[in-house]
Amino acid sequence: MPIGIKDKVVILGMGCSRFGERWDASPEDLMIEAYSEAMADAGIAPEQLDAAWFSTHMSDVGTGRGGLPMGIALRLPNIGVTRVENFCAGGTEAARAAVYAVASGACDIAIALGVEKLKDTGYGGLPVATVGTYIPQWYPAAVAPANFAQLATAYRHKHGVDAALLKRAIAHVSVKSHANGSKNPKAHLQKAVTEEQVLDAPIIAEPLGLFDCCGVSDGSAAIIVTRPDIARSLGKRDLVSFKALQVATSNGWEMHSNEWDGSYFHTARIAARKAYAEAGITRPREQVSMLEVHDCFSVTELVTMEDLYLSPEGGAVKDVMDGFFDAEGKIPCQIDGGLKCFGHPVGASGIRMLYEMYLQLQGRAGPRQLKDPRIGLTHNLGGQPPQNVCSIAIVGRLEG
Amino acid sequence: MLGIVGYGAYIPRLRLNRKAVTQANAWFAPHLGGKAKGTRAMANWDEDSITMAVAAARDCLGSGEDRSRVHSLYLASSTLPFAERLNAGIVSEALTLGDTVEALDIGGSLRAAMSGLGEALSKAQTIKGDVLLLAADNRKTRAASAQEIDYGDGAAAMLVGTRNVIAEYLGGGTVSVDFVDHFRLAGEDIDYFWEERWIRDEGIGKLLPKAIKTALKNAGVTAESVDHFIFPSTLSKIDAQLAKTCGIKPAAVVDNLAAGVGDTGTPHALLMLAHLLETAQPGQLIVVSQFGSGAQALVFRVTDAIRNFQPRTGASKWLARGVEETSYTKFLAFKSQLELERGMRGEQDKKTALTTLYRHRSAILGLVGGRCEKTGEVHYPPSRLSYTQGAPALDTQKPYKLAERQATVLSWSAEYLSYYPSPPHFYGQIDFDGGGRILMEFTDIAKGDVDTSTRVEMVFRVKDVDDKRGFVRYFWKATPLRDATAQVSE
C-alpha cells in the first residue's frame, strides 16, 4: 500500500456556478462563474496558479477538445492546462491530478475545473456519444437510463426483492434528493416532490421513470488546492484536507465474464476499500458523516450504499426506507440535491460534490448545513454498470 | 441419387391482420374490402431478404457446428439489399461456412429460386459436397394496393446433394420468354402490374402447362401420378385450373399459404415445398412450379430417407408461432412507406468503418467469440488477452461459435428514449450456456416476454441502417426461446 495523500493537500478555494438549463450562458460564461468564485475564495491572483486540469466530457457539443478552452476562457497566465476526460467521473479525475501535482511538490497551487454545456443539443437527455468504429457494430446504441435500469432487474433477482418494493425504495431516494435540492439556490431542480409523483411518472427505461433520472444540466465547478503550510501562510484557517483519492476502472471482467451478477459496481467496491484504507477509516457506517454519491439514477444511489460498505449486502432497501440517508438520517446523502436535483453537468459533477463537502465542513452550507460533519465522501462514477470508472474522494477537517 | 437432402423455412413472427389494412384504406380503396380475410406475414423492421435467408438456412442446417458439407451457397431474391456487395457473402459469414464456399446471388425474376434450384441440382453432380439454395423476399408495396394485402414476407432453404437424398430429382422443364406481367426497374421499390386477366390467360395459362409437360416428360412420369402440385400465385384458384389443364388430379394441389402468410415472391414455391415435405410420404411424386419471365417446373420423388430428416423448427411451427399485428401504420413504417418523426436522436450518424467490419467480420457477422484454452472462459468479442482476474493469459483464445448456443438473461431494460424503429428498445446482458456474455439487443419481443432468467436464442438481424450512405449493418440479437424444438441438439 502506498503512503497515500492523506492530509498532504488542502482545499484553498472552491467555486460552483448555478446549475441548470442555462440558456443565458455559454461554456465560457459557466467557467468564469465557477473560477471567479473559487479565486475569490482562495484569495489569490492568477499568477499564483502553477498548473490547471480541465474536465469536460462532451467536447463536441460543449467547449471543444484539449486544454485550450479553459486557458482561453479564463485568460490563464500561460500555465499548463490539461484536459481530463473519464466519462462522468472526469471532475474527480481533474481534482485528483491537481491534488497529486501538489502532493508531489511539482506545484504549489493547482486548479481543477470542470464544465459541461449540455443544453445546446436541441433535445432533452444526454447527447448520443460516439464509441469508436467497432463497438457500434455489435453493441446496442444504448442510452444511460436503460444501462442503469438493468441494475434494478439484477438486484431484484439477486436479493429476492419484490419489484413494487424496489420501485418504492428508489422513489424514496428521489423524494429525499428533491427535498434537499429545494434548499439549494444553485440547484437545477429546487422543487420538492411526493412519492406518488415519482411512482406515477412516465417510464423512461423499465423500471425507471422520469423522476428516477437526474437532471441534464449546464454548469461548472472549480477547486484550487495547495499544501497545508502554504494555505496557512495565506491566512487560511479551518482547513479541509484530502484524506483519500482512489479510482478503479473496469477491465472487462464484469462485461465479458459470467461471474459478475449485474447488481452492483465492482469498481466502486475496490475504490471504496482502497479509499478507506488510505484515509484510515475502518468502520465507514460509523465514521463517515455525509456523502455525495453519483446518483445519475435513483437505483444507482441505492446499490452504491452497499458498494461503499455503508449498508449491508442486500440491506440498502431497508436503510433507504428507514431514512438512514435522509437529511435527518445517520449519514445524510446528497444534501445539496445530488446529481438528481443540483444537476449533472458531466465534467463538473465530481468537483461539485467536493464543493458541497467543503462548504459543509467549513460550516458555510446555509439552510442545509449539517451539524458538525467531520468526514465527507464523494463517489463519482463514469460509464455504466458493466464497465465504468469509479472515483472516490474522502475529505475532512485537517486536525491540528 | 441426386436431389434434395435437406430443407428449411422461415416465416416472420408478425402477421398483419388484413382487415386492419382494408379498414384503414376503406375511404380510398373500398374495392379491397373483399380481401379482408386472414393475415399476411410481415417482416420485422430488422428483417430483410438476407436475414430471412439466414433464418431459413439455420432451419435447414440445424445447430451443429460442422457445416463443411456446404460447398456452394446460392441466394435467390428479387429484393436483395445490396446491388453491389455479395449478399450471399453476408449470409455465408453469418452461417460461418468458411472462406472457400462458392457464394452466388441470383435474381431477376420471381422464378429465380426455381432457376437456382435447377442450377444447384446441376452443380451438385459435379462436386463433393452439397449446394445450399436459399430464397427470400421482403417486397415493398404501395399503400392501398392489392399487393400489400396479397404479398407476404418469408424465406426457404433447400440443400441439394447426392447423399441421403430425401426427394430425388427426376426432371424439369423451363420456358424463358419476356412475358412482362409486372416489372420493377433497377433502383425502384415497387412492382408495376399489367391486367390480371391477360396474365392468367396468356401468361400462366399458356406458359406453365408447357413447362410442366416438359418436366413430366423428362421425369418419365405421368400427370395422373402426381401426388402434390405446387404452384404459387395470388390469382385465386388458378393453381386448380392449371392442375386441371395439365391433367393433374385436383387433390394434388398444395395449399399456397395465402390465408396466413400471403405470397412471399421468389421463395414461395420452395416455402410451399418445405411445408409439404414435413408431411410428405416416401414414394410420393411432387411437381414444383413457378411463374416469372416464363415458367419452370421440377419433378421430385420422395424417398425413404425423408423419415430421417426434420428441420430445426419447420414451416408449420413458424406458421404457428405468428403473432397478429393490427397496426397498419407500423407495417407502412417497416416497409418505408411512412416517414415517422424520429426526433433529433434519430440523426445519429450510423457510418460503418468497413476496415473495422472486415477485421472483425467473424465476430460481427458470425458471432464467433474466443475460448481460452487454459481456463475455458469464453470471450466476446474475442481478444488477444483474456479477462481472467489476476491472471490474464496472452494468445490463448481459439475461435468459439456462439450463434447456435442458447443463453439466459442476466439483466434487461426497455427504453423509450432513443430513436428505435420499433419502441421500446429492449436490450440487456445475456449469459451463454457454456460461457460468454454479451450486452445485446432483443428482438421479436414485447413487454412481459423477458425477465431475469428468461431463456433466449440468437437471430441474425439488421443492426442499423445508414440512410445517408445506403448501408446496412448486420448483427445478432437475442429473442425469447419460443418452443422446445429450438433446443440445441449438442
Side-chain angles (χ1 to χ4, degrees), chain B residues 90-151:
Chain B
I90 302 168
V91 173
S92 178
E93 295 279 5
L95 296 173
T96 60
L97 294 183
D99 296 352
T100 56
V101 78
E102 185 186 67
L104 183 70
D105 290 344
I106 308 172
S109 93
L110 293 186
R111 190 156 59 83
M114 294 293 290
S115 309
L117 187 53
E119 286 305 306
L121 288 161
S122 300
K123 179 83 183 179
Q125 289 174 296
T126 66
I127 55 167
K128 278 184 184 167
D130 298 337
V131 183
L132 179 60
L133 169 77
L134 305 175
D137 254 335
N138 178 25
R139 291 179 290 177
K140 286 181 183 169
T141 48
R142 218 177 299 285
S145 65
Q147 287 78 33
E148 79 175 340
I149 302 170
D150 290 336
Y151 285 5

Side-chain angles (χ1 to χ4, degrees), chain A residues 123-124 126 128 133-134 136-140 142-143 146 150 153 157 204-206 251 254-258 260, chain B residues 344-345 348 353 356 360 380-381 387 389 411-416 427 431 436-437 439 447 452-453 463 473 475:
Chain A
Y123 56 88
L126 287 176
V128 184
T133 62
Y134 186 18
Q137 298 196 39
W138 64 273
Y139 196 79
V143 294
Q150 293 181 50
T153 55
H157 185 73
I204 301 295
E206 291 283 348
N251 63 6
E254 306 99 296
M255 188 84 182
H256 301 304
S257 87
N258 299 87
W260 179 65
Chain B
M344 285 187 184
R345 288 175 190 281
Q348 193 190 14
T356 308
H360 299 288
Y380 190 90
Y387 57 65
Q389 291 289 65
S411 65
W412 66 277
S413 187
E415 50 96 354
Y416 295 85
Y427 42 89
D431 284 337
R437 171 177 292 180
L439 200 162
K447 214 176 159 181
T452 298
S453 302
K463 171 124 178 26
R473 227 181 236 172
F475 188 57

